[in-house]
Amino acid sequence: MSKIVKEKNIIKKFFFNWQSQRFYNEIYWLKKLSKYDFSPKILDINYPKQILTITNEGENINKNNVPPNWEKQLKKILILLTKNNCFHGDI
């Protein structure tokens, strides 16, 4: 697992040296999915240090803030991921 630091609406992900494949894979999928509103946007990529800075999209869902149309939202996201050939384990 990479180290994750959240600062307001920004997330910094610090990848260990042995996680290079994961680092580049995450960049690939973030770029490919950037046209969708549910996907975090890349703010900065530090290749030598393997640090990825992205926007924090949304908030964690719990029983107190679950939207009434969560199933519809989830289905839409799953359809868009499938349309882009993105499957479980790709991100």
Side-chain angles (χ1 to χ4, degrees):
M1 175 57 98
S2 53
K3 179 182 172 186
I4 298 173
V5 176
K6 293 183 180 182
E7 302 170 349
K8 295 187 181 181
N9 293 330
I10 295 173
I11 296 174
K12 281 192 176 187
K13 297 181 86 174
F14 299 81
F15 294 81
F16 298 105
N17 289 336
W18 55 271
Q19 293 179 306
S20 291
Q21 182 64 33
R22 180 182 235 174
F23 174 69
Y24 286 101
N25 188 57
E26 186 146 350
I27 292 167
Y28 170 82
W29 284 109
L30 286 169
K31 285 182 177 180
K32 188 166 184 174
L33 300 172
S34 65
K35 58 188 164 197
Y36 302 114
D37 62 352
F38 65 83
S39 178
K41 308 304 178 248
I42 297 173
L43 299 174
D44 186 55
I45 303 171
N46 184 324
Y47 287 96
K49 294 184 179 182
Q50 293 191 163
I51 301 171
L52 181 58
T53 306
I54 58 176
T55 59
N56 185 9
E57 298 298 322
E59 57 185 272
N60 293 335
I61 301 296
N62 61 52
K63 65 180 180 178
N64 298 319
N65 69 354
V66 63
N69 67 339
W70 71 269
E71 289 179 82
K72 182 178 178 182
Q73 290 182 41
L74 179 60
K75 285 178 185 176
K76 177 185 173 187
I77 291 169
L78 291 174
I79 288 168
L80 293 173
L81 291 175
T82 302
K83 180 180 175 182
N84 284 277
N85 295 313
C86 181
F87 302 99
H88 179 72
D90 285 341
I91 302 177

